[in-house]
Amino acid sequence: MIFKRLELDFFRNYPHLELEFDPRVNLIYGDNAQGKTNLLEAVAYLSTARSHRARYDREMIMLDIDSAFVKGEIFSRNRDFTLEVRLFRGRGRQLFSNGVRLKTAGELTGILNTVLFCPEDLSLIRAGGAERRRFLDGAICQLRPRYAQALAEYNRLYDHKTRILRDWPENPSLLQTLDDFNLRMAQTGAMLIHYRAHFVKRLREHAPAIHADFSGGREGLELGYETVSTVDDPQAGPRELLPLLLEHQEKHRQAEIDSRQCLSGPHKDDLTVAIGGKNAKTYASQGQTRTAALSLKLAQREIFQEETGEWPVLLLDDVLSELDPRRQAFVLNRIQGGQVFITCCEEEKLEGLEGGKAFHIHDGRLGLV
């Protein structure tokens, strides 16, 4: 899987850009706040139609401009693809694959897989469960179109149910629709739990070994998956999970009505992370946090390769500068194979990564070195 060429118009601080990349290593360097991360954001956006740092698409459009354009040429699944995104202020985006407009972002699944690691990913370990759910959802959506559809449907149902619970005192008849929403949420929720549990199982097969190598064998990484209390085996099929979710909903029905909040469902799930038997969120040091988060991302990369037979495009945003030389060498050795983009503040000779291209960025403009 190779990202061959990128074209941008009015995306973030880039008025215009056309750039061809190396199939192995692409080093992007320059001072802070010049646009290095914006470049990786554009590449990643073409894989999922989501940004890791923008809540709304309009945030990625240059100030005082009404629209932006992102185009990527990709070699994937033994063929060439051209992916395009048109972003607009005040109306929905448009997605295209080989000139054909896509109805949903889920249709991008499998064309371009990316794994992005950036400094903000420390929140994978330090923050609440929402960050870890976002990590699981983003990874699984790139592999399973059915999961992406179920997640979108569940989020839509959750929003509707939340409004019902919020507004029912002013309009009691809304409670008559609650059972229908509960059933549909349980059906889609069972699918989410099933896929998440199996992905966490795959993470457990890869991430602890990576973390052990990273730490020189001094630390053990343990991963778990927490979902609703009535589910003992989250890896069970959706049909087996459905009655267990309905049971949990029924137990919390009155509490939801009284609190006017949605208390039951996989929107509260969590990926648990422990180091040496201790909760990493509470007890991990800064170095342990960084190592654990990077181990999860490198495990994701290996799972993608096993699933698709191709290495995903790896995007490392200002990561190596935070690691000591030994850990830098470990990362560079671990990412042999596949295409990688690395951002840093200075052009560096990265031992272990031969060849490739280096690009200097200044004020939204890039020059090949």
Side-chain angles (χ1 to χ4, degrees), residues 260-277:
R260 299 165 71 173
Q261 297 180 46
C262 188
L263 304 176
S264 174
H267 56 277
K268 300 174 74 68
D269 289 358
D270 200 359
L271 166 66
T272 61
V273 182
I275 299 175

Side-chain angles (χ1 to χ4, degrees), residues 64 83 108 135 159 190 246 315 318 367 369:
D64 301 321
L83 300 179
L108 291 170
F135 163 65
D159 289 341
L246 291 172
L315 310 170
D318 196 26
V369 177

Side-chain angles (χ1 to χ4, degrees), residues 68 99 101 126 226 251 308:
R101 185 170 177 181
R126 290 279 176 83
E226 292 183 350
K251 287 181 178 180
T308 68

